[in-house]
Amino acid sequence: MEIPSALRNALKHASMVTAFTGAGISAESGVPTFRSAGGVWKKMRPEELASMEGFLRNPVLVWEWYAERKRIIADVQPNPGHRALAQMQDLFPRFEVVTQNIDNLHRRAGSRVVHELHGNIERNYCMACGRNFSNEAVLAMEGVPLCIECKGQIRPDVVWFGESLPEDAWEAGVHAAEYADVFFSIGTSAVVYPAASLPVMARRAGALLVEVNPEPTPLTPDVDVFLQGAAGEVMPAVYECALRERKDKR
Ligand code: BV8
Ligand code: ZN
């Protein structure tokens, strides 16, 4: 893939690079996205499933949905898109991943600085006493998982609609947007807020804004560089380009 000179040049001189990612970067690992073809939300509305109201109204259905996703995520591997980001982090003084994904694949690929804006599906906690439970523990429980300590309801440690994002992850995400010299928006439809406000925040603060997606999104008109394609193909090419541009810096 041809890397435009604006991006080649920015990669050559960047001291901080931020990669903002969504479900699309995990699609090639076999993790279903939300809104593109075959997305899990094609069948049901997100607010029904990924919200406290939906959970309290129908905990069995919501737990079935999360149990299914937990089983999928337990079996998948990071793909070349995740791995390219893990390789890129060693080429720059600062390199941070800010993800909306809850699948833990960036860390499993070797990324060291990962801010999880929407939580992590491998973690669960009791809503009454806060005790943590692993997926192994909750998936072994019959029916709706209840806390072994206090019988309170256990929920996945993810951010539902209408819930605020974890303070530390959001602050870190804003910082990573404001100080980035190059900000990649990879595999996200850029419709879920406040996460979707980070790319424009980065551009306003002076970053070169790069989007990686097989198709245009509501963000595309605002980006400096649109690399149309799958993350698993584009990001390895971006890594090779950064390696070439910065070889005399090592
Ligand atoms: C908040 C965790 C307030 C759970 C998720 C009306 C009613 C109610 C709420 C709202 C409303 N209007 C606005 C809101 C706010 C709402 C929101 O933005 N809704 C949207 C839908 C309109 N946001 C919230 O509620 C947030 N909280 O605002 O709280 C508040 C404020 C202060 C104090 C108290 C309260 C919370 C949002 C978090 C919701 N949780 N997930 C779970 O996963 O079960 S959101 C969910 O969507 C995932 O995190 C996902 O990451 C995120 C975004 O989706 P994407 O990652 O972009 O995935 P998507 O499928 O959409 O797109 C995939 C893209 O990849 C596509 O573009 C595709 O082309 C591309 N692709 C495909 N293949 C590839 C690829 N790209 C590259 N390579 C490929 N191979
Ligand atoms: Zn408890």
Side-chain angles (χ1 to χ4, degrees):
M1 149 166 264
E2 173 61 25
I3 305 290
S5 61
L7 178 52
R8 282 206 310 274
N9 201 30
L11 289 171
K12 184 181 181 69
H13 299 292
S15 57
M16 176 163 186
V17 174
T18 297
F20 172 63
T21 66
I25 198 170
S26 298
E28 291 156 272
S29 295
V31 182
T33 61
F34 292 90
R35 294 168 190 83
S36 34
V40 290
W41 286 347
K42 281 281 172 285
K43 296 184 278 299
M44 342 192 204
R45 282 177 345 96
E47 286 76 3
E48 257 166 50
L49 291 165
S51 71
M52 180 63 86
E53 297 75 15
F55 179 65
L56 295 177
R57 189 174 46 241
N58 195 337
V60 173
L61 173 70
V62 173
W63 261 111
E64 273 169 7
W65 184 54
Y66 278 101
E68 165 67 13
R69 293 171 67 197
K70 287 169 184 283
R71 287 192 192 95
I72 291 171
I73 279 163
D75 293 344
V76 300
Q77 300 300 327
N79 67 57
H82 298 107
R83 283 201 291 277
L85 293 181
Q87 288 175 298
M88 280 177 76
Q89 69 188 337
D90 297 324
L91 300 180
F92 301 93
R94 304 275 310 278
F95 190 98
E96 304 197 4
V97 174
V98 181
T99 188
Q100 302 169 90
N101 298 340
I102 59 175
D103 56 32
N104 207 33
L105 286 175
H106 284 301
R107 267 203 208 86
R108 288 182 51 200
S111 287
R112 292 187 293 274
V113 181
V114 181
H115 306 301
E116 293 173 317
L117 299 179
H118 294 162
N120 185 318
I121 200 167
E122 295 182 348
R123 293 195 304 263
N124 311 275
Y125 65 90
C126 167
M127 297 198 302
C129 74
R131 184 190 171 94
N132 291 316
F133 291 87
S134 68
N135 277 351
E136 197 186 350
V138 295
L139 292 177
M141 294 178 181
E142 286 302 311
V144 177
L146 298 179
C147 177
I148 51 176
E149 282 291 307
C150 74
K151 296 286 168 266
Q153 280 209 318
I154 300 173
R155 60 166 286 176
D157 188 7
V158 300
V159 178
W160 280 335
F161 284 102
E163 295 186 326
S164 48
L165 279 55
E167 195 64 34
D168 50 349
W170 176 244
E171 292 300 319
V174 169
H175 186 275
E178 289 181 340
Y179 288 86
D181 298 307
V182 182
F183 186 98
F184 288 94
S185 180
I186 306 167
T188 181
S189 57
V191 296
V192 173
Y193 284 85
S197 57
L198 292 176
V200 173
M201 203 186 286
R203 185 149 195 268
R204 280 217 194 98
L208 183 85
L209 179 55
V210 183
E211 183 175 38
V212 177
N213 200 311
E215 56 194 58
T217 71
L219 179 68
T220 309
D222 297 324
V223 306
D224 296 303
V225 176
F226 179 43
L227 302 177
Q228 186 149 13
E233 276 138 49
V234 171
M235 291 319 295
V238 169
Y239 165 66
E240 291 303 327
C241 166
L243 197 59
R244 271 194 313 276
E245 292 298 328
R246 299 177 70 90
K247 67 179 176 311
D248 51 359
K249 291 206 171 196
R250 276 184 296 194

